[in-house]
Amino acid sequence: MESLVKQETQPKPRLIVRLGIFLASHHILFSVICCSAGIIALLLLPSLAKNTYLSENALIPGSATPLFSTEDAIEANRFMKGIEAADGDSIGGIDMAKFIAQQMEELGAEVCYHKFLPHSKHFHPLKFFTSMSNDMAIQPNGTYTNFGINTVGIIRAPRGDGKEAIVLVTPYNSQRVRSNELLSLALGFSVFSLLSRAAWLSKDIMWLSADSQFGEYAAVSAWLNQYHNPVFPSHSVILDTKIHGADHIYDGNAEETEFEAFKRAGTMAAALIFKVGETRRYGDRDSVTMYAEASNGQMPNLDLLNVIHYLAVHRQGFRVNIAAFSSLLSSAWLRVIAEFFHTLGTVLRKINPDWKLDIAVPDYVEGTANLASSIYNQAMGVPTGSHGAFRDYQVDAVSLEFTPTFNVKNENAKSLFLLRGGRLVEGVVRSVNNLLEKFHQSFFLYFLTAPSKFISVGVYMIPFALLLAPLPIVAAALADGSKTMKKLAEKSIGDSKTNGSADFLHSKGGSWKWLQAAKVLLVIQLWAVLVSLLPYYITQIPDAAPIQSSVIWAMLSIVILIALYIMSGSPYSAGVEWKLLKATMITSISIGLGLMSIINFATAQLGALILIPMCLSSRPLKACSGMNFFPRAVLLASNITLAVVGFPPAALLIMKGLSKGSWTVDIGEFWVWMEFLWEWSSATYLYLFLVHLPCWLLCIHVLLHPCSQSELKMKQE
C-alpha cells in the first residue's frame, strides 16, 4: 500500500520535459522532417516574396515637377567636350581634376582635392577587427610617385543649417578615361549645376569625382576615411608628379603642391553612386542596374531602393535590373521545381484563396536566380560597388549603373538619355532632401527576388530555424545514449548493491568522458586558428604563384595537425565514444552558426545547408558493417558525398559553378578566393576557418572512428 501511495503522489514530469524526451527518442525522424521542411521552405521563398512599398511618407517621390531641362543636357554635352580636351593634355589625370574643380568653382561651390595612395593587399590578422584604411592616406615627410586625386565640390543648402548632406559620386579612371566615364562625369556635373541653383535644398550637396585608377571602392573609401577620421600633418607633403619620364609642375602656384585643406559638410543622410556602363546594341529601352550589397551582408534601407525603382520605372521609363545568376535562368531542373510549386499553389489556392503561392513559372525561375545572387553576394561579405564604403559608416547608399541602348554618335539620343538620367538623380535627391531624420522606417534585413519584390527577415529566418531545430535534440540524444545508457544505468544500480564503492567510482569516471571529446574539439579549434593565420607568413614569400601558395598552405596545415596530435595524443587513443564526439561537433555547429547568423545571416544560411545534413548523417563507416547491403550502400554514399561537398574548397567550387557557370578545377583558385575575402575583411573568411573547417574535420573523425567491439555489440542488440 505504501508503494502504491508513493507512486500516486510522485509528480509527473512537465509537458516540455516529456516532449523533449519524446523528440530525443525519435531524433532521427525529427531531423529528417526538420531538414526536409527547411529545404522546402527555402525553395518556397520566391513564392513568398512581397511587393516593395514606401514606409516613410516624407519621401513622396515624384510629387514635384523636375527642374532638369534640355538646357542642362546641353550643358552636360558642353562639359563633356571640355573634359575630353583636358584629358588629351592631362598627365596623370591632374589636368582633368583641375578642369573639374574649375567648373565647380564657376558654379559657386566650395572645392577641394583629396589625394590618396593605392590600397595595400598584404594579409594582416587584425584587419578583420580594426580599420586598416589609414594606409591609403597621405602621410607627412614622404614623397609619392603613385597617387590618386579625388575632386570634391560642396554646395551649401540655402535652407539648411549645414548639419546634413547628400553625397553624389561619379567614378572615372584618370589614367584612361573611356567614353562612358565621360558621360558619367557629364551627368554628374549637369545635376550638380542644377542643384547649385536650387532654392529648395535643405541639405548640403557633395559631389565626389572619384579617381578610380586604383578601383572605385579604394577612391571612395579613402575619402570617407579622411572625412570621418581627420589627419592633420604638421609637415608639407611632396607629391612627385614625374610620369612617363616627364615632370609636370602645377601652374606656378606652390600651394597646390601642399596638402590642401580638406572641406567637409554635415552628417551624410544618403549617398548615390551612378555611372554609365557600356552601350548595349540590343534592347527596347535603356536600363538601370541597382547594386545594394555592402560588406558582410549589410544592406541600405529598403526605402532608398523603392524611391529609385519608382522614379526610374514610373517617371523616367527605365528598365530596372538587379544582379542574377544567369546559369539558373536556363536551368531545366529549376523549371521542373517551378512547375511543381505552381501546380501545388494552384491546388492550395482553391482550398484557401488567401494562399497565393501559385507564382508563374518564369517569375519563379527569375526570382530564384535573383534570390540566389542576393544571398551569394551577401554571403561573400564583399561589397558589389563603392556604395559599400558608405555603409561601413552607417550611411545608406546605392550604386546605379546605366546601360544605354543608343549609338554614341547619336547626339539626340544622348541628350535624351542625359535628360532622363538627370531627372532620376534629381528626384532621388528631392526625396532624400525631404527627410527630417535618417532612414529608419523600412527594412535593413532583406533579400531581393526582383527590383520590386523582397523577402523580409521574418520570412527568410524560417528555413534557417528549421535546419537548426534538430541540432540540440540530436546532441542531447547522443550524449544521453538513449535506451542503451538507460539499460547500463539500471544494471549499474542493481550491481551497486553488491559492489557499491567500485561501481560508483567507475560511473564517476564515465560521467566525465565528455571531457575527452571536448579536448579533441579544443585541439581542432586551435589547429583551425593556426591555419587561418598561415597566409600572414605565406604572403612574405616573394613572387609566389597562387598554386604554390595553396600547396604550401595545405602542407603546413597537415604538418601542424600531425604535430598537435603528437603533443596531445590521438583523438581515438582515450577511448572517446563516437556519439560523444558527434554531440560535441553538433554543439560546436550550433554555436558557430548562431553567432554567424548575427554577423552575416546569408553566410550562416549557406553554411547550414552544407554542414547540418553532413553532420547529422555522419556515423562511423565501421558501424555500417552490420547493416544490409542497400541501407549500408546508401549511408556510405551519402556520408562520403556530404563529406566531399562540405570540404571548403569543394564548397567554394560549387558556389563558383552556380554563380559563374564555370566548373573548372584549379588548385590555385582557392588561394585567390581566400585572398579576395581577407582583402575585403570579410567575416566569411573567419567562418570558413573557425566554424566550417573544424566541423568538417570532426565529421571526418566520426566517419573514421574505430568503433569498439562493445559499441558494435550494443548496436546489434
Side-chain angles (χ1 to χ4, degrees), residues 393-427:
Y393 296 92
Q394 303 304 308
V395 179
D396 295 291
V398 179
S399 291
L400 302 180
E401 183 175 357
F402 294 91
T403 305
T405 56
F406 59 85
N407 194 324
V408 179
K409 297 181 180 180
N410 191 336
E411 295 295 334
N412 293 331
K414 185 190 299 183
S415 298
L416 180 60
F417 169 79
L418 290 171
L419 179 66
R420 295 162 60 208
R423 287 181 174 178
L424 172 59
V425 177
E426 179 198 351

Side-chain angles (χ1 to χ4, degrees), residues 145-168:
T145 59
N146 192 19
F147 59 91
I149 303 177
N150 292 328
T151 310
V152 185
I154 302 175
I155 298 173
R156 301 298 177 180
R159 295 190 178 185
D161 54 4
K163 293 183 179 179
E164 289 185 295
I166 303 172
V167 184
L168 305 177

Side-chain angles (χ1 to χ4, degrees), residues 243-297:
I243 301 174
H244 302 300
D247 291 338
H248 180 82
I249 308 297
Y250 289 105
D251 295 340
N253 194 349
E255 64 181 11
E256 290 190 4
T257 61
E258 298 288 328
F259 197 98
E260 300 174 7
F262 191 95
K263 293 182 174 61
R264 294 175 175 81
T267 303
M268 299 177 186
L272 187 64
I273 299 92
F274 53 93
K275 61 181 180 179
V276 180
E278 296 293 337
T279 301
R280 187 180 57 191
R281 298 186 180 275
Y282 57 90
D284 54 345
R285 54 178 172 166
D286 301 335
S287 63
V288 179
T289 304
M290 295 190 301
Y291 298 95
E293 293 83 4
S295 58
N296 292 321

Side-chain angles (χ1 to χ4, degrees), residues 25-37:
S25 59
H26 300 82
H27 64 275
I28 297 178
L29 178 62
F30 181 67
S31 301
V32 172
I33 293 174
C34 286
C35 289
S36 302

Side-chain angles (χ1 to χ4, degrees), residues 20 37 40 80 187 213 230 267 328 394 407 444 498 502 611 620 700:
I40 294 173
M80 189 161 51
L187 178 61
Q213 59 175 302
T267 303
L328 294 180
Q394 303 304 308
N407 194 324
F444 285 95
T498 57
L611 280 182
I700 297 300

Side-chain angles (χ1 to χ4, degrees), residues 150-400:
N150 292 328
T151 310
V152 185
I154 302 175
I155 298 173
R156 301 298 177 180
R159 295 190 178 185
D161 54 4
K163 293 183 179 179
E164 289 185 295
I166 303 172
V167 184
L168 305 177
V169 181
T170 51
Y172 73 100
N173 188 349
S174 61
Q175 301 300 314
R176 188 183 58 196
V177 184
R178 295 177 295 181
S179 59
N180 58 314
E181 293 177 335
L182 294 176
L183 199 57
S184 304
L185 290 172
L187 178 61
F189 174 77
S190 59
V191 174
F192 191 71
S193 175
L194 170 69
L195 296 176
S196 66
R197 307 187 303 269
W200 43 264
L201 276 178
S202 61
K203 294 178 173 61
D204 296 342
I205 300 296
M206 305 180 68
W207 179 33
L208 172 64
S209 178
D211 184 358
S212 60
Q213 59 175 302
F214 306 126
E216 296 177 11
Y217 187 93
V220 177
S221 178
W223 176 72
L224 283 172
N225 181 65
Q226 175 69 6
Y227 191 94
H228 292 91
N229 304 296
V231 177
F232 304 101
S234 57
H235 301 82
S236 62
V237 176
I238 302 174
L239 296 174
D240 186 4
T241 58
K242 183 181 294 185
I243 301 174
H244 302 300
D247 291 338
H248 180 82
I249 308 297
Y250 289 105
D251 295 340
N253 194 349
E255 64 181 11
E256 290 190 4
T257 61
E258 298 288 328
F259 197 98
E260 300 174 7
F262 191 95
K263 293 182 174 61
R264 294 175 175 81
T267 303
M268 299 177 186
L272 187 64
I273 299 92
F274 53 93
K275 61 181 180 179
V276 180
E278 296 293 337
T279 301
R280 187 180 57 191
R281 298 186 180 275
Y282 57 90
D284 54 345
R285 54 178 172 166
D286 301 335
S287 63
V288 179
T289 304
M290 295 190 301
Y291 298 95
E293 293 83 4
S295 58
N296 292 321
Q298 297 183 85
M299 298 288 286
N301 191 275
L302 188 58
D303 268 346
L304 182 58
L305 298 180
N306 297 338
V307 168
I308 295 172
H309 178 266
Y310 176 82
L311 292 173
V313 175
H314 300 287
R315 286 294 184 266
Q316 304 307 324
F318 284 103
R319 183 194 303 276
V320 179
N321 302 321
I322 57 175
F325 279 179
S326 58
S327 60
L328 294 180
L329 293 174
S330 58
S331 175
W333 63 267
L334 184 58
R335 188 167 293 274
V336 172
I337 294 175
E339 292 175 353
F340 171 77
F341 281 135
H342 177 72
T343 305
L344 179 63
T346 304
V347 175
L348 293 176
R349 193 163 189 174
K350 292 180 180 179
I351 299 174
N352 189 343
D354 294 333
W355 294 346
K356 302 177 181 179
L357 300 177
D358 53 340
I359 183 174
V361 173
D363 293 338
Y364 180 88
V365 173
E366 184 180 359
T368 304
N370 293 332
L371 175 62
S373 177
S374 182
I375 295 176
Y376 170 79
N377 288 328
Q378 292 188 34
M380 288 298 292
V382 178
T384 53
S386 53
H387 59 274
F390 286 93
R391 194 60 203 153
D392 292 340
Y393 296 92
Q394 303 304 308
V395 179
D396 295 291
V398 179
S399 291
L400 302 180

Side-chain angles (χ1 to χ4, degrees), residues 531-667:
V531 170
S532 66
L533 296 177
L534 284 178
Y536 178 73
Y537 301 98
I538 298 176
T539 52
Q540 309 293 335
I541 302 175
D543 302 328
I547 188 171
Q548 295 174 334
S549 300
S550 298
V551 172
I552 294 172
W553 199 0
M555 297 301 295
L556 289 177
S557 301
I558 296 173
V559 170
I560 292 175
L561 182 63
I562 295 174
L564 288 175
Y565 280 160
I566 291 175
M567 291 186 292
S568 62
S570 171
Y572 308 125
S573 60
V576 182
E577 297 179 5
W578 69 268
K579 290 185 177 181
L580 287 179
L581 194 60
K582 183 175 178 178
T584 306
M585 173 183 61
I586 292 176
T587 304
S588 174
I589 293 172
S590 303
I591 297 174
L593 291 178
L595 292 175
M596 197 62 209
S597 66
I598 300 174
I599 301 172
N600 189 344
F601 178 83
T603 302
Q605 178 69 77
L606 293 180
L609 281 174
I610 299 174
L611 280 182
I612 292 178
M614 177 184 69
C615 296
L616 290 180
S617 63
S618 64
R619 59 185 302 143
L621 299 177
K622 192 174 181 179
C624 303
S625 58
M627 296 182 177
N628 295 328
F629 174 76
F630 182 73
R632 180 177 60 184
V634 172
L635 191 59
L636 287 175
S638 61
N639 279 331
I640 295 174
T641 302
L642 290 173
V644 172
V645 172
F647 188 48
L652 289 175
L653 175 64
I654 294 173
M655 294 177 65
K656 172 197 170 186
L658 292 175
S659 61
K660 300 180 180 179
S662 174
W663 297 92
T664 57
V665 179
D666 186 3
I667 299 177

